Amino acid sequence: MSEAAIQTYTRADEAFDCLQTAIVKGDLVPGEKIGEVELCSRFNLTRGPLREALGRLESRGLLVRRPHAGVKVVSVSAEELLELYRIRETMEGLAARQAAERMTDEEIADLQATLDSHEQMIEQAQGQAYYQAEGDYDFHHRIATGSRNTKLAQMLLGDLYYMVRMYRYRLSTSSGRPHMALGEHRRIAEAIAQRDGELAEFLMKRHINAARRNIEKKIREGVLTI
Amino acid sequence: MSEAAIQTYTRADEAFDCLQTAIVKGDLVPGEKIGEVELCSRFNLTRGPLREALGRLESRGLLVRRPHAGVKVVSVSAEELLELYRIRETMEGLAARQAAERMTDEEIADLQATLDSHEQMIEQAQGQAYYQAEGDYDFHHRIATGSRNTKLAQMLLGDLYYMVRMYRYRLSTSSGRPHMALGEHRRIAEAIAQRDGELAEFLMKRHINAARRNIEKKIREGVLTI
DNA sequence: AGGAGAGGGATTGTCAACAATCTATAGACC
DNA sequence: GGTCTATAGATTGTTGACAATCCCTCTCCT
């Protein structure tokens, strides 16, 4: 009940969600030209709402449109992925600092409970995939909203995370360091619980920096090809 | 010839530009509900392209739409403006650092030439208004693109600056510290010219921090009311 | 008199046809 | 044979009409 639920779910919203997940999951291949009518038949939509959704997605940088020449999913280079992590580093550092100053005690308790459930998931099966695919975003998601910085949360949740997830799906599914990441998450949560914004920022930046270098290494080793 | 010019300027693009400038300049009052047909007659458009533009603007956070209930320009609080400056501080700090590493010598020369012309403008008439309204953004614009970080530039130029400009127009026109700002710009440009990324980042963060505190002070003094 | 519910009006969401533009193919010219 | 041009086809952009939803007012009941 934190936010009023969507009152009416318009076709344009539906189109937006469908396309976004299709792009993120890789069902729509980057670079390939895509026709509007094809998309319509694929998602059972008509062109009006579809075009509105296309406009939104273009504005978010997930696809590019050339007038009269069609739309294609944005094609991305390894360097751009690493640049994304550089942006995350600074922005999420800020988010962590503000979260430490502003999250309620209840939110912090929830955050730590989330980490407990993540730990169980990792210990049980090798739930690395789930942890990295959803759990990781869950953690960062909570901190972004906890920053109480509307625009910051909007940019992280609405833009960056989708981009990162898109790349993640293309790469080998998980970053392959769940235990280490969990430990880093724990320390960040601890700093937030102690209301130490400076430390939370430092730890978050280091956390994302480590993730970036991990990806960088894999790319150099040829494990990841984009 | 750095970038291919827009091939065909669609009505949706026109609608987007019109609405964006109208919002930024304050012709469209925040909070006030606005009808689609009214907007159409106002900008000589039809509802199709208009709706596409509305979707883009909503995605950028410049207006909010409730299904079947109309659209209104996002209304903003003083705190949110200050939060915006906090985001700018981190993001433009990163931009400055990367610009120091990646700008071409020619771009750096242009940047410094830009500052020369700014100085002349300030010295001649009290061209504060122009300097703050356009010159300031010119400087930051160049650094954002000079970072060679596509997404970073996109977020700064496409999202944050429009928001900041919107607030700026509502407030008293200029921040009232053109000379000081120019000096800070000079030092940042110097750091970039010396390829000292760390220093450029530090100076940029301090520059924006000073601007934020200046606004904060004015708000406390009651000079600015939002 | 105040509040709740229903109905009308207005506004938004959706659709399908029309017009404008680009791309690809085929032909002609150098 | 290669390249440039023109035409045809397909695709996108735009338009106006139709359907669904919300808001406001008016009435009725407590």
Side-chain angles (χ1 to χ4, degrees):
Chain A
M1 221 161 289
S2 59
E3 194 74 37
I6 278 185
Q7 304 205 341
T8 47
Y9 189 66
T10 71
R11 309 282 290 205
D13 293 328
E14 189 186 333
F16 182 75
D17 289 345
C18 287
L19 284 172
Q20 192 168 49
T21 60
I23 291 172
V24 167
K25 292 208 170 188
D27 296 340
L28 261 45
V29 184
E32 184 188 355
K33 186 202 155 199
I34 268 173
E36 290 186 1
V37 287
E38 187 191 329
L39 288 176
C40 288
S41 61
R42 194 154 158 181
F43 297 110
N44 264 55
L45 294 162
T46 167
R47 283 185 57 216
L50 181 92
R51 284 180 63 79
E52 210 180 307
L54 289 178
R56 287 196 233 176
L57 289 165
E58 183 192 21
S59 182
R60 293 203 180 179
L62 280 160
L63 48 83
V64 290
R65 263 168 122 185
R66 243 180 40 204
H68 296 282
V71 358
K72 61 180 185 180
V73 177
V74 71
S75 61
V76 294
S77 65
E79 277 129 28
E80 282 173 320
L81 174 59
L82 297 175
E83 294 297 341
L84 239 51
Y85 272 80
R86 286 229 154 76
I87 301 174
R88 278 188 69 188
E89 191 179 320
T90 65
M91 290 186 74
E92 297 208 38
L94 173 62
R97 193 176 74 206
Q98 296 195 319
E101 297 164 356
R102 299 176 188 179
M103 270 179 126
T104 66
D105 293 337
E106 194 185 352
E107 283 175 323
I108 294 175
D110 282 357
L111 182 69
Q112 293 181 317
T114 302
L115 292 181
D116 291 339
S117 76
H118 290 172
E119 187 167 15
Q120 287 184 0
M121 271 172 226
I122 295 180
E123 282 179 359
Q124 282 178 6
Q126 288 112 323
Q128 300 184 5
Y130 176 86
Y131 174 68
Q132 281 304 126
E134 302 301 328
D136 188 41
Y137 288 108
D138 196 13
F139 177 78
H140 290 280
H141 188 103
R142 280 168 192 267
I143 287 177
T145 55
S147 74
R148 296 283 191 288
N149 189 329
T150 314
K151 190 72 183 174
L152 181 62
Q154 185 187 330
M155 290 175 120
L156 284 172
L157 303 176
D159 283 88
L160 277 181
Y161 287 172
Y162 284 111
M163 291 287 272
V164 173
R165 275 212 273 188
M166 185 173 86
Y167 287 92
R168 278 277 192 88
Y169 268 94
R170 304 216 190 311
L171 309 178
S172 68
T173 53
S174 94
S175 86
R177 49 182 210 98
H179 271 99
M180 202 176 299
L182 179 66
E184 290 168 6
H185 286 180
R186 271 255 142 77
R187 280 191 219 162
I188 294 168
E190 196 58 33
I192 291 175
Q194 291 171 5
R195 304 295 183 184
D196 189 341
E198 210 170 358
L199 179 60
E201 178 172 8
F202 172 78
L203 291 173
M204 178 64 92
K205 287 176 88 164
R206 201 167 65 171
H207 169 57
I208 294 175
N209 201 321
R212 197 201 74 230
R213 284 198 315 238
N214 183 50
I215 292 176
E216 205 170 0
K217 197 185 86 186
K218 286 197 177 181
I219 290 175
R220 266 203 306 271
E221 289 171 354
V223 182
L224 305 182
T225 44
I226 302 193
Chain B
M1 221 161 286
S2 58
E3 194 73 39
I6 278 186
Q7 301 204 346
T8 45
Y9 189 66
T10 70
R11 309 281 288 196
D13 293 328
E14 189 185 335
F16 182 76
D17 289 345
C18 287
L19 284 171
Q20 191 168 49
T21 59
I23 291 172
V24 168
K25 292 208 171 187
D27 296 340
L28 261 42
V29 185
E32 186 188 355
K33 186 202 153 199
I34 268 174
E36 290 186 1
V37 288
E38 187 191 329
L39 289 175
C40 288
S41 62
R42 193 156 159 181
F43 297 111
N44 266 55
L45 294 162
T46 68
R47 283 185 58 217
L50 181 91
R51 285 179 60 80
E52 210 180 305
L54 290 178
R56 286 196 233 177
L57 290 165
E58 183 192 21
S59 183
R60 294 201 178 180
L62 279 160
L63 48 82
V64 289
R65 262 168 120 183
R66 243 180 39 204
H68 296 282
V71 355
K72 61 179 186 182
V73 178
V74 71
S75 62
V76 293
S77 66
E79 276 129 28
E80 283 173 319
L81 173 60
L82 297 175
E83 294 298 340
L84 240 50
Y85 272 80
R86 286 228 153 78
I87 301 175
R88 279 188 68 188
E89 192 179 319
T90 66
M91 289 185 72
E92 296 207 39
L94 173 61
R97 193 176 74 206
Q98 296 195 318
E101 297 164 356
R102 300 177 186 177
M103 270 179 123
T104 66
D105 292 338
E106 195 184 353
E107 284 175 321
I108 294 174
D110 281 358
L111 181 69
Q112 292 182 317
T114 301
L115 292 181
D116 291 340
S117 76
H118 290 171
E119 186 166 16
Q120 287 184 0
M121 273 173 224
I122 295 179
E123 282 179 359
Q124 283 177 5
Q126 289 112 325
Q128 299 184 5
Y130 176 84
Y131 173 68
Q132 281 303 125
E134 302 301 329
D136 188 41
Y137 289 107
D138 196 14
F139 177 78
H140 290 280
H141 187 104
R142 280 169 192 267
I143 287 178
T145 55
S147 74
R148 297 283 191 285
N149 189 329
T150 313
K151 190 71 184 175
L152 181 62
Q154 184 187 332
M155 289 176 119
L156 284 172
L157 303 176
D159 283 270
L160 278 181
Y161 286 171
Y162 284 111
M163 290 287 272
V164 173
R165 274 211 272 190
M166 185 174 86
Y167 287 91
R168 278 278 193 86
Y169 268 93
R170 304 216 190 310
L171 308 178
S172 69
T173 54
S174 95
S175 85
R177 50 182 208 98
H179 271 99
M180 202 176 300
L182 180 65
E184 290 168 7
H185 285 180
R186 272 255 142 78
R187 281 192 220 163
I188 294 168
E190 195 57 33
I192 290 174
Q194 291 171 6
R195 304 295 182 185
D196 189 341
E198 210 170 359
L199 180 60
E201 178 173 8
F202 173 79
L203 291 173
M204 179 63 92
K205 287 176 89 165
R206 199 166 69 170
H207 169 56
I208 294 174
N209 200 322
R212 196 200 74 231
R213 285 199 315 238
N214 184 51
I215 293 176
E216 206 170 359
K217 195 185 88 186
K218 286 197 177 182
I219 290 175
R220 265 204 307 271
E221 288 172 354
V223 182
L224 304 183
T225 44
I226 302 194

